[in-house]
Amino acid sequence: MIVKQNFSESKKQLCVIGLGYIGLPTAVVFAQNGWQVKGVDVSDRTIEYVSRGELPFVEKGLKGALKTVVDAGMLTVQKDTPKADVYIVSVPTPFKDTQTHAPDLSYIEAATKGIIPQLSGDELVVLESTSPPGTTRFMADLVMSARPDLSLDGSDNRPIVHFAHAPERVLPGQIMVEMTENDRIVGGLTPEATEKAREIYATFCQGAILTTDAKTAELAKLTENSFRDVNIAFANELSLICDQLDINVWELIKLANRHPRVNILQPGPGVGGHCIAVDPWFIVASDPDNSNLIRTAREVNDSKPDFVLEKVFRTLTSQNQDRVTVLGLAFKPNIDDLRESPAMRITERLAASPAVREVIVAEPNINELPEVLAKTGKVRLAPIREAISESEVVVQLVDHAQFKGLTLADLSGKTFINTRGSGFVA
Ligand SMILES: NC(=O)c1ccc[n+]([C@@H]2O[C@H](COP(=O)([O-])OP(=O)(O)OC[C@H]3O[C@@H](n4cnc5c(N)ncnc54)[C@H](O)[C@@H]3O)[C@@H](O)[C@H]2O)c1
């Protein structure tokens, strides 16, 4: 369905820079809502796929919508940044390195440099990438130092370019629903920029659009993921204490959560993915002196795989075993995404150990092992029950729906190391 946009008739060229998990659905949703969208990406593969109306990755509900807007000519793609009225930047914001965890803003810098020559005044530039506080200002400073003929506020009668941040909080797998239904925060460098950003998101956003300034919007996104990370770290720390005291941590948390104002999240083998395990570090990088709790939570969650590994090795040694089965590789249940997954980290370390002859993996959401595991020659993918039957030691790392069908009988006689608290039926 393509409907007419409400934004001022003269403003309809919108350019999305970075057509990944966030940028591509964003481009499609704007195109569905009447914008003439130009998508920009540095990847030849992405340009080839999208120009044919094909999805370069899996996301429920996006395939048909993409084809419709491409066929209707509402979304076109190219490698160079064109002239547009609105620019949306959704490029990656990884770490510079995994030691310091400092944010790498080079992708944002490159995208901004592509926009600079196209500006003539009255454009809106929206940063959607998850970024440390001050990044929208950093983009604006890059533009203003290259283009002294422009301004942020119309001073000296110079044409204005507006800048805003509009963080994305969608859940992969449900992006097409959440992108329109979630509440959205928008924050500009000026009140006028905030209002312009609010206006463009109002063309499709059915949730509330909450307005603030750019820096608060940037920190809000990081805060959401840090809140979850700190809460999970609390649960993970409890799991270590309970292990020491021989108490069932899941029963403990269930009981404590019956308090009307307590809501502890669940422990696990660590925290993975490219949001919760990354974003808190951007707060730490912004103010290292005052972010002790946030840093410690990251460290607690990052050290959990070591605790699981130690337990597995201890069990293998005590039982004189050199073969182990792991259930799940993904970074969370019911997806096939293995990026930054603690289950992957644990499986890699098991395979690398001379004490382990074979690791049998049950991961129902993939058809072949990732290269890093396949090349060890020690890891094998197998159906769930076959994988369990072949080892004496079974470690559950992910609670995929497919594992919920297991019964106590399936695990009878095995040593079961349960990092997810799944209660199997008798
Ligand atoms: N994936 C998520 O669930 C999610 C959720 C919320 C926020 N975010 C944030 O959104 C941003 C984008 O994440 P993503 O998951 O879409 O990343 P992604 O890696 O899927 O996509 C990024 C795209 O940008 C392209 N790109 C890189 N540099 C470019 C440049 N200079 N010009 C044009 N294109 C360029 C890449 O080729 C790629 O296609 C990140 O800051 C991320 O933290 C992601």
Side-chain angles (χ1 to χ4, degrees):
M1 177 193 58
I2 296 175
V3 295
K4 211 161 175 52
Q5 47 140 332
N6 300 320
F7 200 66
S8 137
E9 278 305 304
S10 60
K11 300 277 179 192
K12 23 183 201 199
Q13 300 284 334
L14 183 141
C15 170
V16 177
I17 303 174
L19 300 173
Y21 286 94
I22 295 302
L24 187 55
T26 303
V28 168
V29 170
F30 272 112
Q32 281 178 321
N33 285 278
W35 290 84
Q36 181 63 52
V37 181
K38 290 185 174 153
V40 173
D41 205 289
V42 290
S43 154
D44 290 327
R45 179 177 178 270
T46 298
I47 297 289
E48 279 164 27
Y49 270 72
V50 180
S51 58
R52 291 196 301 261
E54 288 172 23
L55 261 185
F57 51 81
V58 177
E59 179 57 44
K60 199 167 71 188
L62 182 54
K63 196 173 161 187
L66 171 67
K67 184 94 180 86
T68 305
V69 293
V70 169
D71 287 351
M74 298 300 282
L75 172 61
T76 56
V77 284
Q78 57 194 77
K79 283 189 98 167
D80 297 321
T81 304
K83 242 185 155 14
D85 301 301
V86 179
Y87 293 93
I88 300 217
V89 176
S90 51
V91 294
T93 41
F95 300 134
K96 269 194 191 134
D97 63 77
T98 49
Q99 294 307 309
T100 64
H101 299 108
D104 177 358
L105 300 185
S106 63
Y107 297 86
I108 290 178
E109 192 172 340
T112 308
K113 286 185 173 157
I115 297 172
I116 288 172
Q118 305 302 338
L119 297 170
S120 52
D122 210 22
E123 293 90 355
L124 171 67
V125 180
V126 181
L127 174 64
E128 276 208 13
S129 302
T130 303
S131 306
T135 310
T136 309
R137 166 65 63 180
F138 164 75
M139 287 174 85
D141 288 348
L142 282 175
V143 172
M144 292 305 141
S145 66
R147 293 287 305 272
D149 54 314
L150 301 171
S151 77
L152 295 178
D153 55 7
S155 51
D156 299 332
N157 283 330
R158 282 171 293 153
I160 304 176
V161 181
H162 306 278
F163 288 85
H165 183 55
E168 187 51 82
R169 38 160 79 129
V170 287
L171 186 67
Q174 290 185 39
I175 291 182
M176 292 308 281
V177 174
E178 292 208 352
M179 190 161 280
T180 51
E181 291 186 358
N182 286 357
D183 291 348
R184 182 116 209 178
I185 298 172
V186 297
L189 287 184
T190 61
E192 205 185 339
T194 306
E195 178 48 28
K196 285 192 180 290
R198 193 200 59 72
E199 212 181 317
I200 68 144
Y201 284 99
T203 58
F204 71 83
C205 193
Q206 292 160 20
I209 300 177
L210 311 163
T211 56
T212 180
D213 58 82
K215 222 152 71 163
T216 308
E218 288 158 345
L219 190 57
K221 164 72 190 177
L222 305 179
T223 299
E224 291 160 13
N225 283 339
S226 299
F227 170 81
R228 290 182 61 75
D229 199 48
V230 169
N231 194 324
I232 297 168
F234 179 65
N236 274 334
E237 188 161 286
L238 283 175
S239 76
L240 306 190
I241 295 165
C242 285
D243 193 72
Q244 194 67 26
L245 302 180
D246 200 19
I247 289 169
N248 180 322
V249 68
W250 289 281
E251 185 191 355
L252 173 86
I253 290 174
K254 210 162 147 189
L255 292 170
N257 280 348
R258 294 297 289 269
H259 182 293
R261 287 168 295 284
V262 171
N263 182 17
I264 307 167
L265 298 179
Q266 298 297 302
V271 171
H274 35 82
C275 288
I276 299 184
V278 174
D279 300 353
W281 286 119
F282 291 176
I283 298 184
V284 176
S286 300
D287 186 0
D289 291 343
N290 291 306
S291 46
N292 295 329
L293 179 65
I294 295 168
R295 182 191 306 104
T296 305
R298 273 288 65 244
E299 286 164 358
V300 167
N301 288 334
D302 271 355
S303 66
K304 192 69 195 292
D306 292 337
F307 169 83
V308 174
L309 276 164
E310 209 182 298
K311 204 164 182 173
V312 176
F313 284 127
R314 235 184 303 125
T315 307
L316 290 172
T317 308
S318 69
Q319 298 194 8
N320 212 12
Q321 296 291 324
D322 58 7
R323 179 187 288 171
V324 57
T325 289
V326 304
L327 304 181
L329 287 179
F331 82 81
K332 64 178 181 178
N334 309 323
I335 58 166
D336 63 356
D337 193 343
L338 311 183
R339 291 181 295 174
E340 258 85 49
S341 167
M344 270 294 291
R345 234 157 88 199
I346 290 167
T347 309
E348 277 178 62
R349 298 261 299 276
L350 286 171
S353 165
V356 174
R357 185 165 54 90
E358 190 175 30
V359 186
I360 304 160
V361 173
E363 175 43 86
N365 298 307
I366 61 173
N367 297 320
E368 58 183 279
L369 284 173
E371 173 62 15
V372 63
L373 294 181
K375 74 177 184 203
T376 65
K378 287 165 81 175
V379 186
R380 178 156 61 85
L381 197 60
I384 302 170
R385 284 192 166 74
E386 183 186 318
I388 291 173
S389 71
E390 291 191 26
S391 304
E392 296 310 307
V393 179
V394 178
V395 190
Q396 181 165 10
L397 297 175
V398 189
D399 46 357
H400 287 312
Q402 292 91 333
F403 301 144
K404 302 217 192 291
L406 292 171
T407 64
L408 288 177
D410 291 311
L411 295 160
S412 159
K414 312 283 176 191
T415 300
F416 182 49
I417 299 175
N418 186 355
T419 72
R420 290 292 183 179
S422 323
F424 298 122
V425 286

